Amino acid sequence: MRNPSDPRALPGADPHTGNRLVDPVTGYDTTGHDWGGIRELNTPFPRIAVIALLLTFLYSVITWILLPAWPTGNDYTRGLLGLDQGRMARDGYQAVDATRQGWLAGFSDPDFAALASDDLLMAQAMPAAARLFADNCAACHGDAGAGGPGFPALNDADWLWGGAPETVAETIALGINATDNSRFAEMAAFDWLEPAERQALVDHVVALPQGTAATDSPGAVLFADNCAACHGDGGTGGLMTGAPSLADGAVIYGQDAAAVRTTLRHGRRGVMPGWSGRLSGTEINLLALYVATLPEAAP
Amino acid sequence: MHPSLTNAERQIGLGLAVGLALLGLAMAAMARDGAMAVHGAIALALGLGLVFRLGGALYDAAPAGPDRAARYDDAPTRFGITMTLAWAMIGMGAGIWVAALLYWPEGTPPWPATSFGRLRPVHTTGIIFGFGGNALIATSFWVLQRTARARLADAISPWVVLIGYNLFCTWAVTGYLMGSTQSKEYAEAEWYADLWLVVVWVIYFALYLRTLARRAEPHIYVANWYYMAFILVVAMLHIVNNIALPVSLAGAKSYTVWAGVQDAMIQWWYGHNAVAFFLTAGFLGMLYYFLPVRSGRPIWSYRLSILSFWGIVFFYIWVGSHHLHYTALPYWVQTLGMTFSVMLLVPSWASAGNAIATLNGAWGRVRDDATLRFMFVAAVFYGLSTFEGSFLAIRPVNSLSHYTDWTVGHVHSGTLGWVAMIIFGAIYTIVPQLAGREAMAWPKAVEWHFWLAVLGTLVYVIAMWNAGITQGLMWRTYDANGALSYSFLQSVQAMAPYYLLRTIGGLMFLTGAAICALNCRATLRAATARDLRNDRPLAAQPAE
Amino acid sequence: MVLRLHYNLEKLSMGLVGAIILAASVGGIVEIAPLFTIDETVEIPADLRVLTPLELAGREIYMREGCYACHSQMVRSLADEIDRYGPYSLASESAYDHPMLWGSKRTGPDLARVGGKYSDPWQVAHLIDPRAVVPASIMPAYPWLMRPLDTAGLPGALATLARLGLPYDAAMIAGAKADALAQSRPDGPGIQGFQDRHGDRPALRAFDGDPGRLTEMDALVAYLQSLGTQTAAASALLEEARHEP
Ligand code: HEM
Ligand code: HEM
Ligand SMILES: [Ca+2]
Ligand SMILES: [Ca+2]
Ligand SMILES: [Cu+2]
């Protein structure tokens, strides 16, 4: 064993003289090694690094004591606070949900007329409804509810199933053609008609919104026989079968000849998802009232 | 490559090249899907190219034997730097393209390979593994030889490592373009590429140890501790995270053996430590060599180096779970990830501080020398991004930042500010020496590059901080009535200006890197035959 | 003392190697191994179903196109996320996912609960051109998904997953190709066989709108529509917290 107080035994000291190179800038000695020109100083350990390490360690120990932290084989330490991530999430959700129950609970009441005329309540509720609409409905119906090809406009006064908020709420909750208990709306394929007959129908339907449709053309006759049951006499709709009025512009797929021909050839069965599992009943009522305000919002 | 090899070595090389060509042929012939067939063809073409190159040079004049041992083997480093710069262009180009797509989504041509989801991993793999990896390997050879004062243990394995590694990167990146991916972030390459990388890595490690064994100074320098940690731990992470069962040996598709929450933990144990041991440990090795060399100063504190090295190696491995806060990963693992991340700050700052304190006495040089300034800025950004990282790892902070562009901002303050800057500093130190010159061919261009890089980084990072915090707040803000204030789409729309700014910042950064590439080419072309006197290995004398 | 020890360690390359391996192993072992041994980490609910062959093919396309680069599939346990997306995700929901697709970036919204949120035609229209249905979207268009689906690899894929412990039985593996086709042809002849093997919970629809063609779109939409529907465990857990006067 060498004497530990012997300077020659110190790390990096010259084994013969015990001297080490001293850096002129900092005044510290070097460790004595030389790696192709690189040297390092033997600067003492900065106290602050040790303190910082201790502080962060202290923080960690406290955290470990309070929170779930260390595994113990088949289990883990739960921590003094007994926190559980899932329960905290449910509590947190319950807490934010509670903050809006004051006004939201009102919407569980199906008296839509009273709700709609309560300006204060509506002012509180509509921003929430707008966000719900934007995150869930706008993808299909557009952010202003103007619809698009295949998706009906909600900001006009034309309804497939009726525009009373009760009815709308039911449509939203059940959906259309989505599951066995949603609303059912099917436009059968009229592929069994002769092409010429279909063409006559197309001409008739295209003319309907322009108001130029004859009432005694072959197309009109075919229409009365085959279509009026669902679309109403003269295609005015309003029968609440899910069949749109064809006499105005408010259709789902379009009223040019090509779109109508496709409809007749292949039929249609638009799908609107049901929202009852995803949204709560109050939220759905809220949306039904929101949909009713869309026409005003529209430019 | 061949000028550095003796005739016998060229023959061995030729044999290896034939082997590679045969492997490629077998893969291409057996493959039942496109990706593997193309990858076989790439290996075949590479093998054949090498066969011609080496075969044609078999009887050319060989370097004089005994004289060779008295010089460092820098040809592989030179090749590695070329590849570094090539991958910089590919990786950053892809980065700018995907950045632009987020601002201008209609820009995607109806061609699958150009779509965001396929090109994003091209960016991350191309830049981390292509740019970062080549830089690490190239500089590790340089640093290892000089700190050991010994020539690389043999002449062939450095080439096997570099060429094999670049084949891995090429396989990975072209695979994603064709839609072949394991979808594990930063480990997307398919099973055969993963296996290939293991082989390359073992050769790399063996070469490292063999060369180290010839060192002249009995002590191993800190830079080498870091390079060794990089090589070892990356191997460990890569193997465990990539264990997968191929559907068929003749196809690219495989399924990772890990599932669900365990897969998530293993993925981020890997993912975080890819950051730690690839993007941090390796580059600290680089910093520990080039900073003292360029500044002419000794490392400020040997003792602090010890603390930071072991702190980094020990703490880092615990923190991967900070990528999974509030997820279905059990709470206890999140707590460990959070607390270790906070403790990790101390060794991280210790190394950043050690680097900056090393510059004491050389501040004049920092002012005058853009190359040294690159290294200084790198150390500062290293400190910044590790501070930010430890902050983001705290659960409540992460609840805001996770999933947002704040993470992307953090990533690029680390990668642009730290990783890329230290690489450029190293390149500007090495390239003139490779060319036997005092300085780069266009010293002014280095200055331009520096400012473009700093400005580009700041624009990028500040834009993403704003973007991320805005996003995080928009997602969670409730109005006075207890309803969420913003729809998701509103948060998407709010990002547009930031995405544009980020693209501009990236373009500045790429412009700088392109200037660097041109400057390096000009410098190497203007090489002189001058030999730098004292940059030589010592006579072989085993140290252990 | 410690310094002295280190001073000597620095001289041994194998010593450093060993010390590095040791130091870098602890954390991983302590954090990962217990995830396999602590039972409550993953509690597989009785109603958890595996993906059908068509849905699995869709998952491959989801990975191939890098959808996970923009979409997470992990609703975090935070009130606002529950509010926006639905019940927070449970570990059991991805217990059959090799690999998991939790994601790390939300350039687009979380998709863990997207199954059933939109209709098939919307999904198709959105994937072909997102801006046709969502004008402000920055999602890329995927028009090439209307090409035919290659089902050749499905039996092998199911067999591989079965070897990794997923409950795919021999009949499911053998019938994988037929079942992929059957699931996209609601009026086709393969329905009975499909339901014998996969039960009646998976949706049977012409997902891309055309029962005559089996496309990549069929697969991807089938997969998207399955997200969040493989078990009801998460919504059951949250049910009690909902205020439903
Ligand atoms: C020209 C400069 C660069 C640009 C324009 C750029 C752009 C991008 C973009 C657009 C993303 C995707 C972000 C998202 O999904 O929202 C990204 C991700 C990423 N980039 Fe870059 N990048 C650049 C340089 C680099 C460099 C030099 C590195 C590494 C050395 C790097 C590493 C990464 C990583 C690791 C990610 C993934 C981040 C994550 O998943 O959170 N980038 N980059
Ligand atoms: C003390 C050091 C560091 C800590 C504690 C740390 C911590 C973190 C945290 C908390 C995240 C966000 C995880 C999430 O919410 O998803 C993150 C992401 C990331 N960090 Fe760091 N960081 C550190 C240093 C660095 C450095 C120096 C770099 C780069 C050179 C870097 C690169 C990344 C990357 C690439 C990601 C994105 C991962 C992904 O989601 O794809 N980090 N880091
Ligand atoms: Ca892989
Ligand atoms: Ca990520
Ligand atoms: Cu991390």
Side-chain angles (χ1 to χ4, degrees), chain A residues 20-25 27-30 41:
Chain A
R20 293 198 265 192
L21 235 77
V22 172
D23 171 45
V25 178
Y28 290 122
D29 56 347
T30 70
L41 301 179

Side-chain angles (χ1 to χ4, degrees), chain A residues 23 41 43 68 85 100 103, chain B residues 297 299-300 302 327 335 481-482:
Chain A
D23 171 45
L41 301 179
T43 312
Q85 185 177 259
R100 54 192 173 225
W103 54 269
Chain B
R297 297 283 309 142
I299 287 292
W300 182 65
Y302 156 70
T327 67
T335 307
N481 296 316

Side-chain angles (χ1 to χ4, degrees), chain B residues 120 128 185-186 268 271-272 275 279-280 316 319 322-325 341-342 344-345 348 381-382 385-394 398 401-403 407 410-411 413-415 418-419, chain C residues 104-105:
Chain B
R120 189 187 195 273
I128 298 178
E185 259 192 283
Y186 313 124
W268 286 110
H272 181 83
V275 169
L279 296 179
T280 299
Y316 247 122
V319 307
H322 65 215
H323 293 258
L324 297 166
H325 282 328
S341 302
V342 171
L344 176 59
L345 182 60
S348 299
F381 268 102
Y382 175 66
S385 59
T386 49
F387 175 76
E388 184 184 28
S390 296
F391 184 59
L392 292 178
I394 299 172
N398 195 263
S401 72
H402 188 56
Y403 291 141
T407 306
H410 160 70
V411 169
S413 95
T415 56
W418 153 236
V419 172
Chain C
S104 65
K105 178 78 211 308

Side-chain angles (χ1 to χ4, degrees), chain B residues 168 176 182 184 186-191 193-194 238 241-242 270:
Chain B
F168 164 80
Y176 315 150
Q182 285 178 323
K184 289 176 84 94
Y186 313 124
E188 293 94 341
E190 271 295 354
W191 63 275
D194 289 340
H238 172 77
N241 187 43
N242 281 300
Y270 166 90

